[in-house]
Amino acid sequence: MNLSLTSKQIIDSNANWSEIDSRKTPTWFKDAKFGIFVHWGPYSVPAYKTVNNRLFGSYAEWYYSTVYGNYGNDIDDFHKRVYGDIDYHKMAEQFKAELFDANEFARIIKDSRAKYVIITSKHHDGFCMWNTENEHKKNWNSMAIGPKRDIISELRSAILEQDIKFGLYYSIIDWESVPSERCNGGYFIPKKDVIRYGIGKQKYLREILLPQMYEIVNQFKPSVFFADGGEWDLTAEEVDICNYLTWLYNESPVKNEIVVNDRFFKGMPGNHGDYYSTEYQDKVIGSSHLFEESRAVGKSYGYNRLEKLNDYLSSQELIDHLYKNVCRGGNFLLNVGPKADGTIPLIQVERLMAIGKWLDSCGEAIFNTTVLDKWIYATQNDTYEYYFYVPAEINKDPFSLEEALVGVLGKHVDILAVEDNCTIKDNKLHISNYYKYFQQLNEFGVLVLRQKRGR
């Protein structure tokens, strides 16, 4: 895009937050509940970060900063030992995506029953996963180097073909050009790379950030814009956010469809945005505002070869995250991290398939529902109430119900995927299909009880 914005993009500077915040969030996002996140880029080549239990401490997508560089004081000689003196940009030459099949990728996501997908278009390393028209990125994008393919365009077409909403993650900052208070005014990456590849903060804001924010919306027409990194250091004025959101909500090609999160600038989280973002449960958002909790199957968003089996959540644990977030009024965004060759690790595929299988039988309690406050984990739609229940004493009496739950249920309930019209007597479920009952518990770890509203 040209550095000068079109008249449609030059919005009255008097745009204010009360007007922006009054915009009604598109219903589709509130109803969708479950999405898939995808972190993929040159960092998928080394796919390396020591695994620990620190919050955010095992992120392989931060390789440029924490392994190649030394942010976080993680002393690690991996890059020097394996790659010698080559700089991070050389990783992109090995990022071939030679086995990438966008259609297969989309089919896997479809099988998870997720309703939307968010793809990293540009992470903090600044690498663009599409054939950007930005002059500063002409040698640092997936068409120019590595795959020699427009990854975002291919994925967009395949995902929309599966009738899944398509969204984009976009890093508001580039490590190479924007210093940070988190680094005491310095940079997340080595100074030599800043000197070689950076263009300076003000030039970056003017010539990369603002043009690309319009470019990705005009070109790809995403249903979600997931911003990240702006909340660390940038001001609302530097991001020109009021003008941008006014354009996005009123004049853009996705004005009736788009939703945005709250990470564009410092001071935005928890105050502005169609929804608020949480990450590995780093904060608690009340049900008064829509939120989206994101996490990976393991401890890293980007593929990390150091993760072991016990670093990955089980299918039951992921299902637990899904329904509990929905019952709190939020969405759940589950990340997969493809390998450099473009394939999704099989253990991550297996987790998606298991969630999809559960949603095939219990999805009516998740999608198109709202919070029901009669029970700690409950939802409702226009016809039914749904109660998520795990018997506390499964080895002693797997049919017992907590007294508090019995108090809000009638004399009969359906158990999704097990049996309809089960009798409740003496605080117990009386059923005839024991096999399906225990199969549901053993495979998915939770029962979903259903009863008609207004019983």
Side-chain angles (χ1 to χ4, degrees), residues 389-402 437 441:
Y389 187 65
V390 179
E393 300 289 343
I394 189 167
N395 294 320
K396 295 180 180 178
D397 189 349
F399 306 107
S400 64
L401 295 172
E402 291 183 35
Y437 186 90
L441 270 180

Side-chain angles (χ1 to χ4, degrees), residues 38-44 95-97 100 105 119-120 123 127 129 147 151 155 301-302 336-343:
V38 180
H39 276 65
W40 192 30
Y43 45 81
S44 305
F95 177 46
K96 299 294 188 181
F100 172 59
F105 207 103
I119 312 289
T120 44
H123 203 258
F127 185 82
M129 295 285 282
I151 299 295
L155 279 172
Y301 287 94
V336 295
K339 299 179 181 180
D341 64 14
T343 60

Side-chain angles (χ1 to χ4, degrees), residues 244-281:
Y244 183 72
L245 290 182
T246 302
W247 169 80
L248 192 67
Y249 291 163
N250 294 281
E251 300 187 40
S252 79
V254 287
K255 62 184 179 182
N256 298 319
E257 173 90 356
I258 191 81
V259 293
V260 305
N261 69 338
D262 59 345
R263 294 184 178 182
F264 284 86
F265 66 90
K266 193 172 183 179
M268 188 179 186
N271 293 307
H272 305 288
D274 295 304
Y275 68 94
Y276 301 157
S277 294
T278 65
E279 182 174 329
Y280 281 85
Q281 299 176 311

Side-chain angles (χ1 to χ4, degrees), residues 2 7 15-16 22 47 63 68 98 100 131 138 152 159 170 173 204 217 259 268 290 306 349 372 412 426 441:
N2 291 330
S7 59
N16 57 70
S22 68
Y63 183 92
Y68 174 83
E98 66 273 17
F100 172 59
N131 187 24
K138 65 182 180 181
I152 298 299
I159 287 166
Y170 180 85
I173 57 95
Y204 165 79
V217 170
V259 293
M268 188 179 186
L290 185 60
L306 289 190
V349 174
L372 177 64
H412 298 88
D426 299 327
L441 270 180

